[in-house]
Every structure is written in C-alpha cells, then in structure tokens.
Amino acid sequence: MIYDLAIIGGGPAGYTAAELAGKNGLKTIIFEKNVLGGVCLNEGCIPTKTLLYSAKVFHSAKDSAKYGISCENVQFDLSKIIARKNKVVRKLTAGIRAKMTESGVETVIGTAVIRDIAGQARNDNSIEILCNEQTYSAKNLLLCTGSEVVIPPISGIKETNFWTSREALDNKEIPESLVIIGGGVIGIEFASFFNTLGTKVVVVEMLDEILGGMDKELSALLRNELTKKGIEFHLGTKVVSVHNNQVEIEKDGEKRILETAKILLSVGRKPVLTGFGLENISLETFGNGLKVNEFMQTSQPNIYACGDITGFSLLAHTAVREAEVAVEHILGKAEKMSYKAIPGVVYTNPEIAGVGKTEDILQSEGVAYAVKQLPMAYSGRFVAENEQGNGVCKILESEDGNILGVHILGNPASEIIVIAGIAIEKGLKTGELKAMIFPHPTVGEIIKETL
Ligand SMILES: Cc1cc2nc3c(=O)[nH]c(=O)nc-3n(C[C@H](O)[C@H](O)[C@H](O)COP(=O)(O)OP(=O)(O)OC[C@H]3O[C@@H](n4cnc5c(N)ncnc54)[C@H](O)[C@@H]3O)c2cc1C
C-alpha cells in the first residue's frame, strides 16, 4: 500500500498534521520512537507548566493572608507534585493516541529511517521508510523530528553531573541551591519553580539581559520581581568551567567560583537532523535546521518539514500552525505560513508575554514607532486579583496606526496576549482594536485602556 502521507515524529507538529490529514481522508501513518506527544507533552510545555502551577498554588496559599484567608503551616510534597505532573502527561498523551485512532491514522512506535532513494528509479515519486524492519511507502513525507538540548563545550562539563530540563522535571528532592546556566525562557521558568519551593537559585546569563527575544524593559522588570523573591542574576557573565558542585564564572575579566548543590544547563536547543536517514535524501538546510518554503515544503516538493526541525521558532504553537499549513498544501489549499504574530510567553509568576516586534527589532530595522504604555493597575480585575503585583502593558504603534507589537508583564499575560496576536495577524489598526468591546472586568481590558 502507498500512504498519502507518512510522518516521522509524533510531537505537536506530527500529531497535528496526522489528525488533520486523517480527518480529511488522507491515508496517513505516523512514526514515533518514544511516546506520542513529543517533547512538548512529555518533557516540555505541559510538564513544566504543571509544576509551575503547583508552585503558584503553594505561593498563593502562603500569600493568602493578603486576601483575607488564613492558611497555616503551608507545606508541599514534591513526590505528589511530580506524581500529579506525570498524571497530567499520561492523560494528555492518551488523548493524542485516541485522536490518532479517531482520525483513522495508523501509529507505529519505532525509529523511522528514510531509505536511500538515490539509486531507485521510482516512477511514482514515492518515498520509502523503514521502521521495525518493515518498509512503508508514501507519496508525501512530513519530517517533524523536533529538537534536542545543546550541550556547550564548557570545560569540565563531561565529568560533571548536571541536569538538563529533562532531569530537572523528575528530581526527587528540592536542591538547597541551584545554578542555572542560561537565562532564556526554559532557564527562567525553572528558576521561578525552584525559587518558589525554597531553593537558592542563581542564574548565569551571557547576554546583558535575561529572556533574549522578549521586550528588554519588561524582561528587566520581571528580573527585578524575581530578584525580590531571592533569585540572584549574573548578567553579561560567561561560564568558564564547571566541576562537580562548582561553577566558575567570568565577568569583565574577573573570575569567581559559585558553589552549588546542583547545576541546570539550559543554553538552548537545536533541530534533530540525525537518526532518520536524512543522509539518504538530499535536502537543503538553512541555519541549523531544514530549509522550507511558505508551504513548509523542503527542497524536495513532496517532503515537508514542520516544527523545531526547521530551527526557526522552536515553539509548540508555531509547530501546530506549520503542520496545518503543510497538510492544507497537500490537500490542495494554498494557505501560506505567517510568522507575523507568534506569541512568546514565559510562564513565571508573574507571566510575561509578547507578540509582534520588540523595540529592539524596530530600532534595528529603522522603523518609526510610538510607545503606548500603562501599568497593569489600570485594570480593575488585575488590582482585584493582585494585591502587590506590578505589571505593564506596552503597545508599539506605527505612524499610520498599525499595531507593531504588544508586550505584557503581569498575570495572565499568556491568556490575553492572544487578543493582540489576532489584531496583528489580521492587520487591525489601533483604532479598530480599541473599538472592540472587551468584557468587564477582565485583565484583557488593559489593551483597550492602553490604546
Ligand atoms: C522544558 C521545555 C519547556 C517548553 N515549554 C514550551 C512552552 O511553554 N510553549 C511552547 O510553545 N513550547 C515550549 N517548548 C518547546 C516545545 O516543546 C517544542 O517547540 C515542540 O515540542 C516542538 O514540536 P515538534 O513536533 O517540532 O517536535 P517534538 O515535540 O520535539 O517531537 C519530535 C518527536 O519526534 C520523535 N522522533 C525523532 N526522530 C524520530 C525517528 N527517527 N523516528 C520516530 N520518531 C522520531 C521524537 O521522539 C519526538 O517525540 C518547551 C520545550 C522544553 C524542552
């Protein structure tokens, strides 16, 4: 049998594509070497947010007197927090398995490898995939092998017992102290989690601000909030070497040793381009990922690539949209992928979120813009729910009234940023967005207020 679509990798890109393809009548097969759900469900988005939610509940209980509630002797049980995280992951991965069945998608658990097709005279242009010693043929192939953690060549790293995000998710006890190497989104989310549960957290970041890519002013405000909670930051600082429980850092030529119970390495992720027979086909690369066009086709038109493998966005929601675009293209619909309004969110407490362009980007592009900015305290709902919370909503507007970027610090930035995302994607003018009716009282009203 020749499948219409074969998919390698069952993360957000792969399972979204499989479900959509199956529901639209394409004979679809998906290969996954571990567990359906990929990094996102099993060791990324969902487990981290489940842990962060437990930390938030713990913090709220300790903080409850401010809201007129007394909770005494508030404690947490890490084994129960981890068990709940595992339960959530199991529930959601089971949901993905059910979706595959409901959509008529065949799922094969095993490592899939593209067969060497260079020497094959194939009239039908199909691609062959080997998995569990069986060969499968497909008219179209979608590569969604995701990404893996980057281990930088720091002196002593090979001999040191460090955590990556994967080990940090399943730790058996809360370390007394933790040095996090890398102040990006993943590092800062873990900093927030461990700090809330009582670990002395130190973040070492090579750049001059945490959360590169997010609005710098808001990132600095978040850093101040986290500093007040006891997290120590070393910015513009390089890690020179690591050795068991010591991290040697250097700033402006001065070296210093940080003593720590644990080290969490979190300096980024890179696309997985090995282990699935990429060497057997010839596809162009771009940066450290696979090159794709606006329909997610690689340099071979019937081979598509979506998600982290392109090395472009490394976010689950981008992967999902890319998968939809790829499948729609296979189905003959010509919807192009748009990267104009991809929200970025950091699920710390408080949350920070942004969509569209940052001031740094606009300045580097030489685009003129105006800043509209308001403290979150202008939202009644925010004040009702945040006794001490600071926060900011910042909107960047072009000279002709287009919304260029929206950046929010304050809960629940992750939920309200979608309003701004829709406005930017659909090209709404600031006046048009302001004319919308926002339910009252909601924190989202801050967008209308700011405009
Ligand atoms: C700690 C952490 C937190 C994160 N939090 C967020 C977040 O809050 N929001 C967000 O948007 N993103 C988050 N991400 C990023 C998100 O997880 C990824 O962007 C997303 O998982 C990418 O989806 P994907 O489908 O491209 O790849 P993946 O989810 O990586 O899935 C790829 C799958 O391919 C499989 N595979 C690889 N090779 C083969 C093969 N040869 N045969 C069969 N199967 C194969 C792998 O086993 C894997 O399951 C986080 C990541 C991490 C690590």
Side-chain angles (χ1 to χ4, degrees), residues 114-115 117 127 141 143 277-283 300 303:
I114 303 163
R115 268 192 53 187
I117 50 174
I127 303 144
L141 174 64
L143 299 171
L278 185 59
E279 59 284 3
N280 294 331
I281 43 176
S282 98
L283 298 183
Q300 191 165 317
I303 303 184

Side-chain angles (χ1 to χ4, degrees), residues 32-107:
E32 169 53 55
K33 66 178 178 182
N34 291 323
V35 183
L36 279 177
V39 167
C40 180
L41 249 66
N42 293 290
E43 53 181 279
C45 328
I46 297 299
T48 49
K49 270 79 242 180
T50 312
L51 295 186
L52 282 162
Y53 190 70
S54 287
K56 198 172 172 185
V57 171
F58 177 61
H59 174 77
S60 298
K62 282 205 307 180
D63 222 27
S64 61
K66 288 180 188 152
Y67 301 84
I69 314 287
S70 48
C71 291
E72 272 157 35
N73 195 20
V74 180
Q75 310 244 341
F76 66 86
D77 180 335
L78 183 64
S79 63
K80 287 186 181 157
I81 292 177
I82 303 282
R84 176 171 182 271
K85 181 263 295 176
N86 293 339
K87 191 179 80 181
V88 169
V89 169
R90 275 198 306 275
K91 184 173 177 175
L92 295 178
T93 52
I96 300 295
R97 283 198 301 277
K99 276 184 177 181
M100 295 302 100
T101 311
E102 281 162 20
S103 321
V105 173
E106 197 175 324
T107 303

Side-chain angles (χ1 to χ4, degrees), residues 160-226:
T160 301
N161 184 11
F162 61 89
W163 281 345
T164 66
S165 56
R166 185 179 291 164
E167 292 80 32
L169 285 172
D170 283 315
N171 59 313
K172 300 277 178 289
E173 57 193 44
I174 293 296
E176 200 179 297
S177 52
L178 175 69
V179 169
I180 301 181
I181 304 176
V185 177
I186 294 174
I188 296 302
E189 288 186 353
F190 275 111
S192 180
F193 173 72
F194 284 106
N195 165 260
T196 308
L197 298 192
T199 299
K200 170 70 197 143
V201 177
V202 178
V203 176
V204 183
E205 168 56 52
M206 206 149 77
L207 301 176
D208 61 0
E209 191 49 86
I210 58 166
L211 304 174
M214 303 296 286
D215 180 275
K216 250 195 180 158
E217 186 187 356
L218 268 56
S219 299
L221 286 172
L222 174 67
R223 179 168 50 74
N224 286 341
E225 291 286 317
L226 298 177

